[in-house]
Amino acid sequence: MTNSFGAKDTLTVGDKQYEIYRLSSIPNSERLPYSLKILLENLLRNEDGVTVTADQVRALAAWSAHDVGHSEIQFTPARVLLQDFTGVPCVVDLVAMRDAMDDLGGDPQKVNPLIPVELVIDHSVIADSFGRPQSAKINADLEFERNRERYQLLRWAQHAFDDFVVVPPDTGICHQVNLEYLARVVFGADDNGEGMPQAYPDTLVGTDSHTPMVNGLGVVGWGVGGIEAEAAMLGQPVSMLLPEVIGLKLTGELREGVTATDMVLTVAELLRKTGVVGKFVEIFGPGVANVPLANRATIGNMSPEYGSTITIFPIDQETLDYLTFTGRSPERVALVEAYAKEQGLWHDPDHEPEYSQIVELDLGTIEPSIAGPKRPQDRIPLALARHTVEHLLADPTADVTTLTALDDAIDDTFPASDPFLGEEDMFEPAAAVIERDDDLESVPWPSNPQQLTMNGQQTRVDNGDVVIAAITSCTNTSNPSVMIGAALLARNAVQKGLKSKPWVKTSLAPGSRVVTDYFERSGLTPYLDELGFNLVGYGCTTCIGNSGPLPDEVSAVVDEGDLTVASVLSGNRNFEGRIHQQSRMNFLASPPLVVAYALAGSMHVDLTRDPLGEGSDGQPVYLKDIWPTGKEIKEVVDSCVEARMFTEGYSDVYAGDENWNSLPVPEGDRFDWDDSSTYVRKPPYFDGMGVEPGTLHDITGARVLAKLGDSVTTDHISPAGTIKRDSPAGTYLTDHGVEPRQFNSYGSRRGNHEVMIRGTFANIRLRNQLVPGVEGGFTRVLPGDEQTTIYEASEQYATDETPLIVLAGKEYGSGSSRDWAAKGTLLLGAKAVLAESFERIHRSNLIGMGVLPLQFREGENAESLGLDGTETYAVVGIEGQDQVPHEVTVRVQPDGGDAREFTAVVRIDTPTEQEYYRHGGILQYVLRQRLEA
């Protein structure tokens, strides 16, 4: 490292010395927000004069709160966090890279993660069985049956790769495991190697959008697509523009009865209104000390729901207390405190850094809330929930047709744990959330009760009734206070003689085994079980759509009556179609309120005024009668939750159960691909690759695969959701002997490029102007007129050796960062995408896969140039060049018309991107770098 600013120094903690890079070496750095100080240290420590330059350090040091987005820096994360849906393709690509390394005469062992990589298998368990003592075992066995091939690959990778660990299934949710065990906050305490250890802030990128949950610990980290994660694993930095930083100033403290969920729903509403998409949010002020760590993590977790990159709390005494509470070593806690104070990273409530904007929130104004029925930021005060639901049911524009259309769109475009940040109006309901000040008179709502028999009992289900009540997801299950609160409420309800309504599917899916440990120790498990909240597994279940089927009797009457029924869950996502295809209204709520709604069985019950049911003494029981006090919750938490639970619970975190350990693990440093596998296939990225990159070529004789409009998102492009029987992917699976009931989802099959290619551009809301008036993944094989699927067209073009391009409008590739949006584009045969403008990360991902991003010149587009997409295209000016020029000529030959030309801008913006494209993609570039190492 070049150390241009003389930042390299030492720090003594106890009897141990650490090497550090002092922020004080940069004048006026104390004015910077906490998060930017972390990035500044990252640049100082990684300055090599090539990838990270002194100019980048100066640009960050000169950060202007109100004039950002001009300077680009290279961020080098300390580690990578993967979950299994998004992590499997990363592993598949690394395995294929090892094969390519061997084929090129290199050492396969050189293909290894260069920074720690931690993969947590948490997205595959489904709540098929519920309400039974053996439900967790049944669901775990089904999970292994469905995902055996994927898990075998991950078990092999755990042994074959250095710095790569796998947390087996049925252990916990990646974010909770990260918070309770994996996060270092400051690296160096565990370094017992030769020489002086280096102390530096823990930073990460993760392939799950809720990675910012760890921001609650003061750790900078956010979600990225698989391509960026793979690059980071292999030592490539993450390119980013300096962001705006919004300061959220907290004052006051929460009132009695207000939970972490109430707080985060209020924050989500506030920040969504403020407008923080793509920005950093930083919490500061005198109220910070009053926010427990678990609540901080809940707020960080919800960052994707209001669009910020991170929502971070600085390090303070609460951080240290949590690290001690969760069993971190005294050496680590001491290092975190000393390092934070030495580097100006310790929270000072009287110090106000420079922020782009400051928003204030008095914690004392927060009240019990839920959010829904379709967006996390649509907060509804609990006292207004009944009225709001009845208005939504009564409003014909928010009823079945509107909701169902949206339902289908999200069901087919929503992979697990990717945020939807597509067209804004897609989530604007005609009946928006009814604000507190509105005059909420009772309205007649469409009642259509359906009779059914459950467990020998005659009952009925109507519009607005609750059919799913799930304590689930990383959002809340990491918080002992709300989990103990739910269990105490269950105890109080059982003691009063209340039961969950028979039509409600109840489930408990904690984020780690520590939760069930303290439930057992507190003696509260039997009460949860009595109400049907038996353990269904440790992982993301209901929140990502792994809620499993409704009971047959309930499912039948919901369809027969075309009912608008509801789910209530303690998660972070409630978009329609995501939770369950039959649940059109989905509400986020705290775990205690989930239990309360299971008891009530309907959204028509006003929990603040109406009884939940009749007690064993014949008297009505109200929520206030069974709601535990804060003092009561604290007493149970203090007496039953101990540090040893975390140290013991995580002592064998990588061991796994009998299912995991019985998987056969192939020997050797190369994976034994199974050609019959429908989950894991060797990708073709390295086919025909040479030791040296080939020469650059013009693109000639190209046809348009799809002509698209504005705001086409990665949700429109990327394969996601359920696999339809009659889709190209469904046909492929059927041809390979897979029955439709075993199709699983695109997310689970991300390790099979054959499935994913067939699902690219297959979104049912895609509008390809080559087939006007048609929605879905269809196109024409030009110059013909016959309509076919985009995949089948690409096959015909490949047979004819015809290269392809995609035409698009503004903001192409906006939304969440998805690797398969770029991978699928390449594998369909697209050589270039010509758009009016690009979303930054998707543009980068296209280059990372060797696809050329071209942009119309300012003021021009397909329409102004008279392009209808039926022409033949050539992109010239590249042939024989060392790098792609800033502009190229596009020659257009209409069928039977005169040829014409126009100039397009090449959106390869940095020298590093030029290298990626010259090598055919980032994977090929890294492989050749490793080959020379």
Side-chain angles (χ1 to χ4, degrees), residues 256-257 481 484-492 592 623-633:
E256 177 72 27
S481 294
I484 290 292
L488 286 171
L489 190 138
R491 181 201 66 184
N492 297 343
L623 182 60
K624 62 182 175 61
D625 299 330
I626 60 173
W627 190 271
T629 66
K631 180 173 180 291
E632 191 178 8
I633 293 170

Side-chain angles (χ1 to χ4, degrees), residues 607-891:
L607 296 186
T608 67
R609 297 181 182 89
D610 301 336
L612 298 172
E614 188 178 282
S616 51
D617 59 1
Q619 297 300 307
V621 179
Y622 296 86
L623 182 60
K624 62 182 175 61
D625 299 330
I626 60 173
W627 190 271
T629 66
K631 180 173 180 291
E632 191 178 8
I633 293 170
K634 186 176 187 304
E635 286 174 352
V636 176
V637 171
D638 290 347
S639 64
C640 296
V641 187
E642 297 179 343
R644 67 171 182 82
M645 288 182 170
F646 294 89
T647 53
E648 292 173 3
Y650 285 110
S651 61
D652 59 350
V653 66
Y654 304 117
D657 61 9
E658 183 181 345
N659 281 325
W660 178 255
N661 290 308
S662 65
L663 287 172
V665 182
E667 298 292 329
D669 54 17
R670 292 184 62 176
F671 184 69
D672 186 14
W673 301 97
D674 180 358
D675 291 338
S676 66
S677 173
T678 58
Y679 277 98
V680 177
R681 300 293 296 269
K682 182 178 179 180
Y685 308 130
F686 305 104
D687 290 355
M689 176 182 165
V691 173
E692 297 293 332
T695 56
L696 296 176
H697 295 287
D698 292 339
I699 301 169
T700 58
R703 286 289 188 174
V704 174
L705 180 64
K707 181 175 182 286
L708 308 170
D710 295 340
S711 300
V712 170
T713 73
T714 50
D715 290 273
H716 292 105
I717 309 167
S718 186
T722 55
I723 299 174
K724 297 289 190 289
R725 184 181 305 204
D726 59 352
S727 67
T731 301
Y732 167 86
L733 291 172
T734 301
D735 291 346
H736 283 75
V738 181
E739 298 179 12
R741 66 183 182 85
Q742 297 290 348
F743 276 5
N744 220 325
S745 64
Y746 281 110
S748 69
R749 294 187 183 272
R750 287 183 180 182
N752 183 345
H753 63 278
E754 297 287 2
V755 171
M756 300 302 279
I757 298 170
R758 288 163 171 81
T760 303
F761 289 112
N763 180 298
I764 64 169
R765 291 292 172 261
L766 186 76
R767 295 180 181 89
N768 180 3
Q769 296 169 18
L770 292 179
V771 283
V774 175
E775 286 189 334
F778 299 98
T779 194
R780 293 153 51 194
V781 178
L782 299 169
D785 292 324
E786 186 176 347
Q787 178 180 306
T788 185
T789 66
I790 283 179
Y791 171 73
E792 289 166 334
S794 75
E795 288 282 275
Q796 183 59 55
Y797 283 127
T799 300
D800 298 340
E801 297 185 349
T802 301
L804 300 172
I805 66 170
V806 174
L807 295 181
K810 300 182 183 72
E811 298 175 350
Y812 182 76
S814 60
S816 58
S817 167
R818 297 211 180 128
D819 53 340
W820 269 106
K823 288 180 175 179
T825 298
L826 169 75
L827 295 179
L828 285 172
K831 302 296 183 184
V833 176
L834 175 57
E836 286 185 67
S837 63
F838 288 90
E839 189 277 333
R840 184 177 63 87
I841 295 178
H842 184 61
R843 178 195 63 80
S844 177
N845 282 351
L846 289 172
I847 297 167
M849 294 311 301
V851 178
L852 186 66
L854 301 175
Q855 190 163 307
F856 291 105
R857 287 193 296 190
E858 186 71 29
E860 295 182 345
N861 56 33
E863 282 62 43
S864 70
L865 294 169
L867 309 177
D868 65 13
T870 62
E871 309 90 349
T872 302
Y873 288 74
V875 179
V876 298
I878 303 172
E879 193 82 27
Q881 301 287 329
D882 292 330
Q883 61 181 30
V884 185
H886 178 62
E887 291 183 340
V888 292
T889 298
V890 180
R891 293 177 182 159

Side-chain angles (χ1 to χ4, degrees), residues 130-464:
F130 73 99
R132 301 162 61 186
Q134 61 271 42
S135 289
K137 177 68 164 62
I138 293 169
N139 293 331
D141 289 346
L142 286 170
E143 177 187 357
F144 266 88
E145 181 184 329
R146 293 180 178 122
N147 297 284
R148 184 179 182 86
E149 293 176 29
R150 299 165 64 231
Y151 293 172
Q152 202 163 343
L153 168 73
L154 295 177
R155 251 185 70 75
W156 173 84
Q158 187 178 29
H159 295 280
F161 289 119
D162 298 332
D163 267 338
F164 184 91
V165 295
V166 177
V167 177
D170 209 30
T171 303
I173 296 170
C174 63
H175 311 302
Q176 189 160 342
V177 174
N178 194 20
L179 194 72
E180 295 176 350
Y181 179 72
L182 297 173
R184 284 73 156 178
V185 186
V186 175
F187 267 83
D190 299 326
D191 189 343
N192 296 312
E194 295 181 7
M196 185 185 298
Q198 191 177 65
Y200 54 94
D202 184 4
T203 56
L204 73 153
V205 291
T207 58
D208 188 291
S209 60
H210 292 101
T211 299
M213 184 167 180
V214 79
N215 296 166
L217 269 177
V219 175
V220 169
W222 60 83
V224 296
I227 294 172
E228 298 100 310
E230 289 176 34
M233 289 162 62
L234 295 166
Q236 299 299 303
V238 176
S239 178
M240 62 180 291
L241 295 172
L242 290 179
E244 286 186 47
V245 183
I246 307 299
L248 176 57
K249 185 175 184 178
L250 300 184
T251 58
E253 57 185 309
L254 297 176
R255 294 179 290 125
E256 177 72 27
V258 175
T259 68
T261 311
D262 304 322
M263 180 180 178
V264 76
L265 294 180
T266 302
V267 170
E269 178 190 41
L270 173 64
L271 291 178
R272 192 76 187 192
K273 288 178 179 176
T274 301
V276 297
V277 173
K279 302 174 185 179
F280 282 14
V281 174
E282 194 165 299
I283 317 294
F284 74 104
V288 167
N290 299 325
V291 182
L293 199 292
N295 295 27
R296 300 179 185 191
T298 307
I299 289 172
N301 179 288
M302 291 286 277
S303 296
E305 275 60 63
Y306 41 83
S308 68
T309 303
I310 63 172
T311 307
I312 195 161
F313 284 77
I315 295 170
D316 63 1
Q317 187 60 45
E318 175 66 16
T319 315
L320 304 183
D321 292 346
Y322 183 83
L323 292 174
T324 302
F325 173 67
T326 50
R328 266 60 170 228
S329 69
E331 293 80 11
R332 177 170 305 285
V333 177
L335 174 60
V336 169
E337 179 176 13
Y339 185 88
K341 290 179 175 178
E342 189 74 16
Q343 292 279 60
L345 299 173
W346 186 265
H347 181 236
D348 177 359
D350 297 323
H351 172 65
E352 190 170 292
E354 292 182 18
Y355 290 115
S356 305
Q357 181 182 353
I358 292 177
V359 184
E360 296 195 28
L361 175 63
D362 179 354
L363 299 177
T365 64
I366 297 173
E367 60 190 320
S369 307
I370 62 173
K374 60 187 67 176
R375 301 190 304 180
Q377 69 267 25
D378 289 340
R379 185 182 66 87
I380 307 168
L382 187 61
L384 299 181
R386 172 184 159 187
H387 286 295
T388 302
V389 169
E390 291 175 357
H391 275 254
L392 290 170
L393 288 172
D395 188 332
T397 62
D399 210 342
V400 178
T401 52
T402 301
L403 298 179
T404 302
L406 186 58
D407 190 46
D408 289 343
I410 298 306
D411 184 44
D412 277 4
T413 64
F414 223 120
S417 288
D418 280 341
F420 188 95
L421 297 175
E423 304 101 316
E424 283 296 320
D425 62 358
M426 197 167 184
F427 288 119
E428 291 295 341
V433 165
I434 302 166
E435 297 291 343
R436 164 177 299 286
D437 296 330
D438 286 355
D439 180 19
L440 283 174
E441 297 178 357
S442 294
V443 294
W445 53 274
S447 178
N448 183 24
Q450 302 293 305
Q451 303 296 321
L452 72 160
T453 303
M454 297 287 296
N455 304 321
Q457 176 185 346
Q458 272 291 118
T459 187
R460 66 181 198 169
V461 177
D462 203 346
N463 288 314

